[in-house]
Amino acid sequence: MALAIKMELTELRKVGAKNPKILIVSDGNNLGDEKDLVKMAKIAAGLGIEIDVFRLGETSNINVLKRLTDITGGTYFYINTIESLQEAVRK
């Protein structure tokens, strides 16, 4: 996942987005190295890019995903029903 974030950061910088955000939709499994994810989140924060997370289902990696949003000023959503998905999309 860190590589995907890195690629998205590169693209957002190229297009010069006015309100750049990255949306991660994940079940939290197989996220990769936590250190790499945190590093990418810190780079994103330095560039003024927020990372929002939609976490689906039950997982044990809640803290890693939540940390990405905390570092970048993004928003963390736990999606376990259609209603919670609709609420998250409205925000």
Side-chain angles (χ1 to χ4, degrees), residues 69-90:
T69 61
D70 290 344
I71 291 169
T72 64
T75 306
Y76 175 86
F77 299 96
Y78 170 58
I79 311 296
N80 65 345
T81 65
I82 293 295
E83 293 78 18
S84 60
L85 174 61
Q86 290 171 335
E87 179 67 24
V89 170
R90 279 191 285 262

Side-chain angles (χ1 to χ4, degrees), residues 8-73:
E8 189 60 32
L9 290 173
T10 300
E11 291 302 313
L12 286 171
R13 290 179 69 197
K14 283 182 189 176
V15 299
K18 292 184 181 183
N19 188 18
K21 285 188 178 237
I22 295 173
L23 174 61
I24 295 173
V25 179
S26 175
D27 65 359
N29 294 317
N30 300 317
L31 295 175
D33 185 16
E34 182 177 345
K35 290 178 186 177
D36 290 340
L37 287 169
V38 170
K39 179 181 176 182
M40 288 299 109
K42 288 179 179 179
I43 291 170
L47 296 170
I49 299 172
E50 294 179 3
I51 297 176
D52 293 335
V53 172
F54 284 15
R55 185 180 69 83
L56 310 173
E58 301 296 325
T59 103
S60 61
N61 291 318
I62 298 168
N63 292 337
V64 176
L65 295 171
K66 178 75 171 92
R67 191 160 178 211
L68 297 178
T69 61
D70 290 344
I71 291 169
T72 64

